[in-house]
Amino acid sequence: DQAREAYRPVFIISDFAADSEEWDYSLQARLESALSEDRISIKLQPQADLRDGRIVGAEALARWVDEERGDVPPSRFILQCERVGRLDELTKRILSKSLDAAAALQTCDHHPRISVNVSAIQFVDSRIAELVEKNLAIHSADPAKLTIEVTETARIENFSVARGVFEQIKQLGVNFSMDDFGVASANLEAMFELPFDEIKIDQIFVRGVHHSETARAIVANVVRLARDAGLTSVAEGIEDRETYDFLRETGCDLGQGYYISRPMTLSNLQEMMTLQKDTPLLRDKYG
Ligand code: C2E
Ligand code: MG
Ligand code: MG
Ligand code: MG
């Protein structure tokens, strides 16, 4: 027991070290140059209409490959941007690249919509609305082809302020999706308080469909909840045929996940859109 006790502080110290100022500082310097040199890019992950498998949209996911550290996961650098007040700058660049992509995809048969992630904490004032309006104009993009996926809805402190910002953006013709439905504690309150058009069922439930009756019950009932509330339902994290079929049978509208396609480059997506075949059959080629 004594030996075990002796180990404990070591783990605490190493946890602390991973989160120390020194470590953040080095990441911060690299992130700052990546932002100023515009080296943070996007990958687009197709979203399929589950009834016929056609690609009707894509989610823009931020990607940063650092020379020394390699792939830095978005969860890591987005938190870092938030800590140092650079989240608006990141959003500006991602939004700009996403609307560029949306414009490029306008020529495709089924002109897909693009979903862009924006953190709930960015709905505390009108800056995000101004950013969206300005970028729609710059790129002459169709607002109806832009969806804003709001992440971390549990962090909304003032719903009436957030609602005002939502309304400003909705007036432009942009749609709203609630990301990670089911995992953020205030999801139902946010669904009730804010004018969402869509909910995205979190992948922890979708990936549990195989082995958990509870997961199947949650997924089926969230799909029904969305339908009864007049919202579109989207399932993320569909990794195999069985899950795809289950989601389709529950009446879920849209699906996203490795089974349909991994996140890809714009040119790959354009090629995929041009072919417009049943997407699961194309996954090996584009995955
Ligand atoms: P999210 O918005 O829920 O995005 C879905 C995540 O699941 C993505 O991870 C995607 O690559 C991954 N994914 C997609 N299909 C599958 C699948 O079938 N199986 C599994 N296991 N994973 C799948 P990623 O790209 O690492 O992004 C993580 C999170 O970072 C996102 O979760 C989102 O919350 C945030 N994020 C990404 N880009 C941005 C951005 O531009 N702005 C903001 N604010 N957040 C972003
Ligand atoms: Mg998302
Ligand atoms: Mg999501
Ligand atoms: Mg998620």
Side-chain angles (χ1 to χ4, degrees):
D1 273 7
Q2 253 180 354
R4 209 174 295 147
E5 281 306 313
Y7 272 112
R8 219 166 264 167
V10 176
F11 289 113
I12 292 166
I13 289 163
S14 69
D15 281 353
F16 178 75
D19 204 31
S20 75
E21 290 304 312
E22 194 188 354
W23 196 80
D24 278 352
Y25 182 79
S26 124
L27 185 73
Q28 179 47 31
R30 310 191 71 81
L31 176 62
E32 200 48 57
S33 68
L35 277 172
S36 62
E37 291 161 22
D38 203 20
R39 282 189 281 105
I40 295 181
S41 60
I42 55 168
K43 279 275 176 79
L44 299 163
Q45 187 175 33
Q47 298 176 325
D49 183 327
L50 290 177
R51 287 167 307 179
D52 58 13
R54 282 176 182 272
I55 303 305
V56 294
E59 177 178 12
L61 294 161
R63 292 290 178 261
W64 176 25
V65 187
D66 180 68
E67 281 174 352
E68 273 175 26
R69 295 184 184 214
D71 279 316
V72 184
S75 54
R76 185 76 194 87
F77 66 80
I78 283 149
L79 180 67
Q80 186 69 11
C81 282
E82 183 187 334
R83 281 187 188 164
V84 297
R86 295 295 268 160
L87 208 48
D88 282 349
E89 181 62 25
L90 178 78
T91 306
K92 183 176 139 194
R93 292 177 183 274
I94 299 296
L95 196 57
S96 171
K97 290 182 164 67
S98 301
L99 291 175
D100 243 2
L105 290 161
Q106 260 170 37
T107 53
C108 294
D109 270 359
H110 296 260
H111 180 192
R113 60 93 180 248
I114 301 288
S115 295
V116 177
N117 291 285
V118 178
S119 171
I121 61 162
Q122 292 175 270
F123 292 87
V124 288
D125 57 42
S126 295
R127 276 176 305 168
I128 184 70
E130 284 150 22
L131 198 64
V132 171
E133 183 166 17
K134 197 172 135 204
N135 273 280
L136 282 169
I138 291 171
H139 298 273
S140 324
D142 179 358
K145 295 297 183 182
L146 174 64
T147 296
I148 292 181
E149 276 189 18
V150 184
T151 64
E152 303 192 275
T153 45
R155 295 175 69 192
I156 298 177
E157 278 170 16
N158 188 326
F159 281 109
S160 73
V161 169
R163 195 182 307 118
V165 184
F166 265 60
E167 298 291 2
Q168 253 183 293
I169 296 174
K170 279 187 79 83
Q171 269 172 21
L172 304 168
V174 174
N175 287 312
F176 277 96
S177 179
M178 191 188 310
D179 211 347
D180 309 315
F181 193 89
V183 294
S185 56
N187 274 166
L188 289 173
E189 188 183 7
M191 184 183 171
F192 174 65
E193 294 282 359
L194 300 170
F196 281 102
D197 304 283
E198 173 182 291
I199 57 184
K200 276 189 98 168
I201 307 165
D202 193 78
Q203 52 184 285
I204 63 159
F205 309 116
V206 176
R207 299 216 306 273
V209 153
H210 274 300
H211 52 86
S212 161
E213 190 169 353
T214 306
R216 287 192 292 275
I218 291 171
V219 167
N221 283 283
V222 173
V223 168
R224 174 149 185 213
L225 172 67
R227 189 171 48 233
D228 288 355
L231 307 182
T232 301
S233 51
V234 185
E236 64 174 26
I238 299 177
E239 291 186 347
D240 51 57
R241 183 84 215 189
E242 197 186 326
T243 309
Y244 186 101
D245 289 341
F246 176 80
L247 264 304
R248 187 173 49 191
E249 280 153 23
T250 64
C252 185
D253 299 306
L254 307 179
Q256 184 181 341
Y258 297 163
Y259 180 69
I260 295 157
S261 169
R262 298 231 168 206
M264 56 172 64
T265 60
L266 173 62
S267 60
N268 275 348
L269 181 61
Q270 281 174 305
E271 199 183 334
M272 194 179 201
M273 293 300 302
T274 308
L275 296 176
Q276 272 296 350
K277 297 252 176 62
D278 184 26
T279 56
L281 300 176
L282 289 177
R283 73 187 184 281
D284 293 334
K285 184 166 178 202
Y286 294 98

Short mmCIF file of all heavy atoms in Angstrom, two decimals, residues 47 56 95 99 112-118 123 132 136 142-150 165-179 194-199 230-232 234 254:
data_model
loop_
_atom_site.label_atom_id
_atom_site.label_comp_id
_atom_site.label_asym_id
_atom_site.label_seq_id
_atom_site.Cartn_x
_atom_site.Cartn_y
_atom_site.Cartn_z
N GLN A 47 -22.44 14.07 -45.75
CA GLN A 47 -23.64 13.69 -45.01
C GLN A 47 -24.64 13.16 -46.04
O GLN A 47 -24.89 13.81 -47.05
CB GLN A 47 -24.24 14.90 -44.29
CG GLN A 47 -23.29 15.50 -43.26
CD GLN A 47 -23.83 16.75 -42.60
OE1 GLN A 47 -24.52 17.55 -43.24
NE2 GLN A 47 -23.51 16.95 -41.34
N VAL A 56 -26.01 14.96 -49.46
CA VAL A 56 -26.76 16.23 -49.50
C VAL A 56 -26.06 17.35 -48.74
O VAL A 56 -26.50 18.49 -48.75
CB VAL A 56 -28.19 16.05 -48.94
CG1 VAL A 56 -29.00 15.13 -49.85
CG2 VAL A 56 -28.15 15.50 -47.51
N LEU A 95 -14.81 29.50 -41.59
CA LEU A 95 -16.02 29.94 -42.28
C LEU A 95 -15.69 30.36 -43.71
O LEU A 95 -16.39 30.01 -44.67
CB LEU A 95 -16.63 31.12 -41.51
CG LEU A 95 -18.06 31.52 -41.81
CD1 LEU A 95 -19.01 30.34 -41.59
CD2 LEU A 95 -18.48 32.68 -40.90
N LEU A 99 -17.16 28.50 -46.98
CA LEU A 99 -18.01 29.17 -47.96
C LEU A 99 -17.38 29.15 -49.35
O LEU A 99 -18.08 29.11 -50.36
CB LEU A 99 -18.34 30.59 -47.51
CG LEU A 99 -19.28 30.64 -46.30
CD1 LEU A 99 -19.47 32.06 -45.81
CD2 LEU A 99 -20.63 30.00 -46.62
N PRO A 112 -24.72 20.59 -52.40
CA PRO A 112 -24.80 20.23 -50.97
C PRO A 112 -24.65 21.43 -50.05
O PRO A 112 -24.00 22.41 -50.39
CB PRO A 112 -23.61 19.28 -50.80
CG PRO A 112 -22.62 19.73 -51.80
CD PRO A 112 -23.40 20.28 -52.98
N ARG A 113 -25.23 21.32 -48.89
CA ARG A 113 -25.03 22.38 -47.89
C ARG A 113 -23.75 22.05 -47.12
O ARG A 113 -23.33 20.90 -47.02
CB ARG A 113 -26.25 22.45 -46.95
CG ARG A 113 -26.56 21.17 -46.17
CD ARG A 113 -25.91 21.16 -44.81
NE ARG A 113 -26.23 19.91 -44.09
CZ ARG A 113 -27.00 19.87 -43.01
NH1 ARG A 113 -27.53 20.95 -42.52
NH2 ARG A 113 -27.22 18.72 -42.39
N ILE A 114 -23.16 23.10 -46.53
CA ILE A 114 -21.97 22.92 -45.71
C ILE A 114 -22.30 23.30 -44.27
O ILE A 114 -22.91 24.33 -44.01
CB ILE A 114 -20.79 23.82 -46.20
CG1 ILE A 114 -20.43 23.51 -47.66
CG2 ILE A 114 -19.57 23.66 -45.31
CD1 ILE A 114 -19.72 22.19 -47.89
N SER A 115 -21.91 22.41 -43.34
CA SER A 115 -22.10 22.69 -41.92
C SER A 115 -20.78 23.13 -41.30
O SER A 115 -19.75 22.50 -41.52
CB SER A 115 -22.59 21.43 -41.20
OG SER A 115 -23.87 21.07 -41.66
N VAL A 116 -20.84 24.21 -40.55
CA VAL A 116 -19.64 24.75 -39.90
C VAL A 116 -19.86 24.73 -38.38
O VAL A 116 -20.93 25.13 -37.90
CB VAL A 116 -19.38 26.20 -40.38
CG1 VAL A 116 -18.18 26.81 -39.64
CG2 VAL A 116 -19.15 26.23 -41.89
N ASN A 117 -18.87 24.24 -37.64
CA ASN A 117 -18.98 24.19 -36.18
C ASN A 117 -18.67 25.54 -35.54
O ASN A 117 -17.66 26.16 -35.85
CB ASN A 117 -17.98 23.16 -35.62
CG ASN A 117 -18.36 21.74 -35.99
OD1 ASN A 117 -19.28 21.17 -35.41
ND2 ASN A 117 -17.66 21.20 -36.97
N VAL A 118 -19.54 25.96 -34.65
CA VAL A 118 -19.30 27.18 -33.89
C VAL A 118 -19.64 26.89 -32.43
O VAL A 118 -20.68 26.30 -32.13
CB VAL A 118 -20.16 28.36 -34.41
CG1 VAL A 118 -19.92 29.62 -33.57
CG2 VAL A 118 -19.85 28.66 -35.88
N PHE A 123 -21.88 32.90 -28.89
CA PHE A 123 -23.18 33.55 -29.08
C PHE A 123 -23.52 34.53 -27.95
O PHE A 123 -24.67 34.73 -27.60
CB PHE A 123 -24.29 32.49 -29.25
CG PHE A 123 -24.14 31.75 -30.56
CD1 PHE A 123 -23.32 30.63 -30.64
CD2 PHE A 123 -24.76 32.21 -31.70
CE1 PHE A 123 -23.14 29.97 -31.85
CE2 PHE A 123 -24.58 31.56 -32.92
CZ PHE A 123 -23.77 30.45 -33.00
N VAL A 132 -20.59 36.06 -40.05
CA VAL A 132 -21.34 35.23 -41.01
C VAL A 132 -21.86 36.09 -42.16
O VAL A 132 -21.68 35.75 -43.33
CB VAL A 132 -22.51 34.48 -40.30
CG1 VAL A 132 -23.43 33.80 -41.30
CG2 VAL A 132 -21.96 33.45 -39.31
N LEU A 136 -20.67 35.64 -46.06
CA LEU A 136 -21.65 35.24 -47.08
C LEU A 136 -21.55 36.20 -48.26
O LEU A 136 -21.58 35.79 -49.43
CB LEU A 136 -23.07 35.26 -46.51
CG LEU A 136 -23.48 34.07 -45.62
CD1 LEU A 136 -24.80 34.36 -44.92
CD2 LEU A 136 -23.57 32.78 -46.45
N ASP A 142 -24.81 31.06 -51.10
CA ASP A 142 -26.23 30.95 -50.81
C ASP A 142 -26.41 30.64 -49.32
O ASP A 142 -25.99 29.59 -48.85
CB ASP A 142 -26.81 29.82 -51.68
CG ASP A 142 -28.29 29.61 -51.45
OD1 ASP A 142 -28.88 30.31 -50.58
OD2 ASP A 142 -28.87 28.74 -52.13
N PRO A 143 -27.02 31.56 -48.54
CA PRO A 143 -27.15 31.33 -47.09
C PRO A 143 -27.91 30.05 -46.76
O PRO A 143 -27.66 29.43 -45.72
CB PRO A 143 -27.95 32.55 -46.60
CG PRO A 143 -28.02 33.50 -47.73
CD PRO A 143 -27.64 32.81 -48.98
N ALA A 144 -28.81 29.65 -47.64
CA ALA A 144 -29.58 28.43 -47.40
C ALA A 144 -28.69 27.19 -47.45
O ALA A 144 -29.08 26.12 -46.99
CB ALA A 144 -30.70 28.31 -48.43
N LYS A 145 -27.49 27.35 -48.01
CA LYS A 145 -26.56 26.22 -48.09
C LYS A 145 -25.53 26.24 -46.97
O LYS A 145 -24.53 25.54 -47.01
CB LYS A 145 -25.86 26.20 -49.46
CG LYS A 145 -26.81 25.96 -50.62
CD LYS A 145 -27.47 24.59 -50.52
CE LYS A 145 -28.37 24.31 -51.72
NZ LYS A 145 -29.06 23.02 -51.61
N LEU A 146 -25.77 27.11 -45.98
CA LEU A 146 -24.89 27.13 -44.81
C LEU A 146 -25.69 26.72 -43.57
O LEU A 146 -26.79 27.23 -43.33
CB LEU A 146 -24.31 28.54 -44.60
CG LEU A 146 -23.48 28.73 -43.32
CD1 LEU A 146 -22.21 27.88 -43.33
CD2 LEU A 146 -23.10 30.20 -43.11
N THR A 147 -25.13 25.78 -42.82
CA THR A 147 -25.71 25.40 -41.53
C THR A 147 -24.66 25.63 -40.46
O THR A 147 -23.49 25.32 -40.68
CB THR A 147 -26.15 23.92 -41.53
OG1 THR A 147 -27.20 23.75 -42.48
CG2 THR A 147 -26.65 23.48 -40.16
N ILE A 148 -25.07 26.23 -39.36
CA ILE A 148 -24.14 26.40 -38.25
C ILE A 148 -24.43 25.33 -37.21
O ILE A 148 -25.55 25.22 -36.71
CB ILE A 148 -24.25 27.81 -37.65
CG1 ILE A 148 -23.71 28.81 -38.68
CG2 ILE A 148 -23.46 27.92 -36.34
CD1 ILE A 148 -23.73 30.24 -38.25
N GLU A 149 -23.41 24.51 -36.93
CA GLU A 149 -23.53 23.46 -35.91
C GLU A 149 -23.04 24.04 -34.60
O GLU A 149 -21.87 24.37 -34.46
CB GLU A 149 -22.64 22.26 -36.26
CG GLU A 149 -23.29 21.31 -37.20
CD GLU A 149 -22.50 20.01 -37.37
OE1 GLU A 149 -21.63 19.67 -36.54
OE2 GLU A 149 -22.77 19.33 -38.36
N VAL A 150 -23.93 24.17 -33.66
CA VAL A 150 -23.56 24.77 -32.38
C VAL A 150 -23.09 23.66 -31.43
O VAL A 150 -23.85 22.76 -31.09
CB VAL A 150 -24.72 25.57 -31.78
CG1 VAL A 150 -24.27 26.27 -30.50
CG2 VAL A 150 -25.25 26.59 -32.78
N VAL A 165 -28.87 36.59 -31.08
CA VAL A 165 -27.82 36.36 -32.07
C VAL A 165 -28.27 35.32 -33.10
O VAL A 165 -28.06 35.48 -34.31
CB VAL A 165 -26.49 35.95 -31.39
CG1 VAL A 165 -25.38 35.82 -32.43
CG2 VAL A 165 -26.08 36.95 -30.32
N PHE A 166 -28.92 34.26 -32.61
CA PHE A 166 -29.49 33.24 -33.52
C PHE A 166 -30.42 33.91 -34.53
O PHE A 166 -30.35 33.65 -35.73
CB PHE A 166 -30.30 32.20 -32.73
CG PHE A 166 -29.54 30.96 -32.32
CD1 PHE A 166 -28.41 31.04 -31.53
CD2 PHE A 166 -29.98 29.71 -32.72
CE1 PHE A 166 -27.72 29.90 -31.13
CE2 PHE A 166 -29.31 28.56 -32.34
CZ PHE A 166 -28.19 28.65 -31.54
N GLU A 167 -31.33 34.73 -34.02
CA GLU A 167 -32.33 35.37 -34.89
C GLU A 167 -31.67 36.23 -35.96
O GLU A 167 -32.08 36.23 -37.12
CB GLU A 167 -33.31 36.23 -34.07
CG GLU A 167 -34.16 35.47 -33.05
CD GLU A 167 -35.20 34.53 -33.64
OE1 GLU A 167 -35.27 34.40 -34.87
OE2 GLU A 167 -35.94 33.92 -32.84
N GLN A 168 -30.62 36.94 -35.55
CA GLN A 168 -29.89 37.79 -36.50
C GLN A 168 -29.34 36.94 -37.65
O GLN A 168 -29.42 37.33 -38.82
CB GLN A 168 -28.68 38.40 -35.78
CG GLN A 168 -28.77 39.87 -35.46
CD GLN A 168 -27.48 40.34 -34.82
OE1 GLN A 168 -27.16 39.93 -33.69
NE2 GLN A 168 -26.72 41.16 -35.51
N ILE A 169 -28.80 35.78 -37.30
CA ILE A 169 -28.20 34.91 -38.32
C ILE A 169 -29.28 34.20 -39.14
O ILE A 169 -29.17 34.04 -40.35
CB ILE A 169 -27.23 33.91 -37.66
CG1 ILE A 169 -26.06 34.68 -37.01
CG2 ILE A 169 -26.71 32.89 -38.67
CD1 ILE A 169 -25.11 33.84 -36.20
N LYS A 170 -30.36 33.81 -38.48
CA LYS A 170 -31.46 33.14 -39.18
C LYS A 170 -32.11 34.05 -40.22
O LYS A 170 -32.54 33.61 -41.27
CB LYS A 170 -32.51 32.62 -38.19
CG LYS A 170 -32.12 31.30 -37.56
CD LYS A 170 -33.23 30.72 -36.72
CE LYS A 170 -34.28 30.06 -37.58
NZ LYS A 170 -33.90 28.68 -37.95
N GLN A 171 -32.13 35.35 -39.89
CA GLN A 171 -32.70 36.32 -40.84
C GLN A 171 -31.95 36.33 -42.16
O GLN A 171 -32.50 36.70 -43.20
CB GLN A 171 -32.68 37.72 -40.23
CG GLN A 171 -33.95 38.05 -39.48
CD GLN A 171 -33.85 39.36 -38.72
OE1 GLN A 171 -33.01 40.20 -39.04
NE2 GLN A 171 -34.71 39.52 -37.73
N LEU A 172 -30.68 35.94 -42.11
CA LEU A 172 -29.88 35.88 -43.33
C LEU A 172 -30.26 34.67 -44.18
O LEU A 172 -29.91 34.59 -45.35
CB LEU A 172 -28.38 35.80 -42.99
CG LEU A 172 -27.78 36.88 -42.10
CD1 LEU A 172 -26.38 36.49 -41.64
CD2 LEU A 172 -27.73 38.21 -42.86
N GLY A 173 -30.95 33.71 -43.55
CA GLY A 173 -31.35 32.50 -44.28
C GLY A 173 -30.51 31.28 -43.93
O GLY A 173 -30.60 30.24 -44.57
N VAL A 174 -29.70 31.42 -42.86
CA VAL A 174 -28.82 30.32 -42.43
C VAL A 174 -29.57 29.41 -41.45
O VAL A 174 -30.41 29.89 -40.68
CB VAL A 174 -27.56 30.93 -41.75
CG1 VAL A 174 -26.67 29.85 -41.15
CG2 VAL A 174 -26.78 31.79 -42.75
N ASN A 175 -29.28 28.10 -41.49
CA ASN A 175 -29.91 27.15 -40.56
C ASN A 175 -29.00 26.82 -39.38
O ASN A 175 -27.79 26.97 -39.46
CB ASN A 175 -30.26 25.85 -41.29
CG ASN A 175 -31.44 26.03 -42.21
OD1 ASN A 175 -32.47 26.59 -41.82
ND2 ASN A 175 -31.30 25.58 -43.44
N PHE A 176 -29.65 26.32 -38.31
CA PHE A 176 -28.91 25.95 -37.10
C PHE A 176 -29.10 24.47 -36.75
O PHE A 176 -30.21 23.95 -36.79
CB PHE A 176 -29.38 26.78 -35.91
CG PHE A 176 -28.72 28.13 -35.84
CD1 PHE A 176 -29.33 29.25 -36.36
CD2 PHE A 176 -27.46 28.25 -35.27
CE1 PHE A 176 -28.71 30.49 -36.31
CE2 PHE A 176 -26.82 29.49 -35.22
CZ PHE A 176 -27.45 30.61 -35.74
N SER A 177 -27.99 23.86 -36.39
CA SER A 177 -28.00 22.47 -35.95
C SER A 177 -27.43 22.39 -34.54
O SER A 177 -26.46 23.08 -34.22
CB SER A 177 -27.14 21.63 -36.90
OG SER A 177 -27.11 20.28 -36.49
N MET A 178 -28.04 21.56 -33.69
CA MET A 178 -27.50 21.39 -32.34
C MET A 178 -26.59 20.16 -32.34
O MET A 178 -27.06 19.04 -32.55
CB MET A 178 -28.62 21.21 -31.31
CG MET A 178 -28.08 21.29 -29.89
SD MET A 178 -29.27 20.85 -28.62
CE MET A 178 -30.65 21.84 -29.09
N ASP A 179 -25.30 20.40 -32.11
CA ASP A 179 -24.33 19.32 -32.18
C ASP A 179 -24.34 18.48 -30.90
O ASP A 179 -24.77 18.96 -29.85
CB ASP A 179 -22.93 19.92 -32.40
CG ASP A 179 -22.01 18.99 -33.19
OD1 ASP A 179 -22.35 17.80 -33.36
OD2 ASP A 179 -20.95 19.47 -33.63
N LEU A 194 -33.97 27.86 -28.05
CA LEU A 194 -33.36 28.44 -29.25
C LEU A 194 -33.96 27.86 -30.53
O LEU A 194 -34.35 26.69 -30.56
CB LEU A 194 -31.84 28.21 -29.21
CG LEU A 194 -31.11 28.84 -28.02
CD1 LEU A 194 -29.66 28.36 -27.95
CD2 LEU A 194 -31.16 30.35 -28.07
N PRO A 195 -34.01 28.66 -31.60
CA PRO A 195 -34.67 28.22 -32.83
C PRO A 195 -33.80 27.31 -33.72
O PRO A 195 -33.39 27.69 -34.80
CB PRO A 195 -34.99 29.54 -33.54
CG PRO A 195 -33.92 30.48 -33.09
CD PRO A 195 -33.57 30.07 -31.69
N PHE A 196 -33.54 26.10 -33.23
CA PHE A 196 -32.76 25.15 -34.04
C PHE A 196 -33.61 24.57 -35.17
O PHE A 196 -34.84 24.47 -35.04
CB PHE A 196 -32.25 24.01 -33.15
CG PHE A 196 -31.04 24.39 -32.34
CD1 PHE A 196 -31.16 24.70 -30.99
CD2 PHE A 196 -29.78 24.45 -32.93
CE1 PHE A 196 -30.04 25.06 -30.25
CE2 PHE A 196 -28.66 24.80 -32.19
CZ PHE A 196 -28.80 25.12 -30.85
N ASP A 197 -32.94 24.17 -36.26
CA ASP A 197 -33.60 23.52 -37.38
C ASP A 197 -33.31 22.02 -37.40
O ASP A 197 -33.98 21.26 -38.09
CB ASP A 197 -33.07 24.12 -38.70
CG ASP A 197 -33.26 25.63 -38.74
OD1 ASP A 197 -34.41 26.06 -38.97
OD2 ASP A 197 -32.29 26.37 -38.48
N GLU A 198 -32.27 21.63 -36.66
CA GLU A 198 -31.75 20.27 -36.78
C GLU A 198 -31.08 19.85 -35.48
O GLU A 198 -30.55 20.69 -34.77
CB GLU A 198 -30.72 20.31 -37.92
CG GLU A 198 -29.91 19.08 -38.16
CD GLU A 198 -28.90 19.31 -39.30
OE1 GLU A 198 -29.32 19.46 -40.46
OE2 GLU A 198 -27.70 19.35 -39.00
N ILE A 199 -31.12 18.54 -35.19
CA ILE A 199 -30.29 18.06 -34.09
C ILE A 199 -29.41 16.91 -34.56
O ILE A 199 -29.80 16.09 -35.38
CB ILE A 199 -31.10 17.64 -32.83
CG1 ILE A 199 -32.14 16.58 -33.14
CG2 ILE A 199 -31.76 18.82 -32.17
CD1 ILE A 199 -33.00 16.23 -31.94
N GLY A 230 -40.51 19.05 -35.30
CA GLY A 230 -40.36 19.67 -36.62
C GLY A 230 -38.92 19.93 -37.02
O GLY A 230 -38.64 20.80 -37.84
N LEU A 231 -37.99 19.17 -36.45
CA LEU A 231 -36.56 19.37 -36.74
C LEU A 231 -36.02 18.19 -37.56
O LEU A 231 -36.51 17.08 -37.46
CB LEU A 231 -35.75 19.50 -35.45
CG LEU A 231 -36.20 20.55 -34.42
CD1 LEU A 231 -35.26 20.55 -33.23
CD2 LEU A 231 -36.26 21.93 -35.05
N THR A 232 -34.98 18.48 -38.31
CA THR A 232 -34.27 17.44 -39.05
C THR A 232 -33.40 16.66 -38.06
O THR A 232 -32.83 17.25 -37.14
CB THR A 232 -33.37 18.10 -40.12
OG1 THR A 232 -34.20 18.85 -41.00
CG2 THR A 232 -32.59 17.07 -40.92
N VAL A 234 -30.03 14.17 -37.58
CA VAL A 234 -28.77 13.72 -38.20
C VAL A 234 -28.07 12.80 -37.21
O VAL A 234 -27.99 13.11 -36.03
CB VAL A 234 -27.82 14.91 -38.51
CG1 VAL A 234 -26.59 14.44 -39.26
CG2 VAL A 234 -28.53 16.00 -39.28
N LEU A 254 -30.73 12.23 -41.88
CA LEU A 254 -29.38 12.27 -42.47
C LEU A 254 -28.39 11.47 -41.64
O LEU A 254 -28.58 11.27 -40.44
CB LEU A 254 -28.88 13.72 -42.57
CG LEU A 254 -29.77 14.75 -43.28
CD1 LEU A 254 -29.10 16.12 -43.25
CD2 LEU A 254 -30.06 14.33 -44.71
#
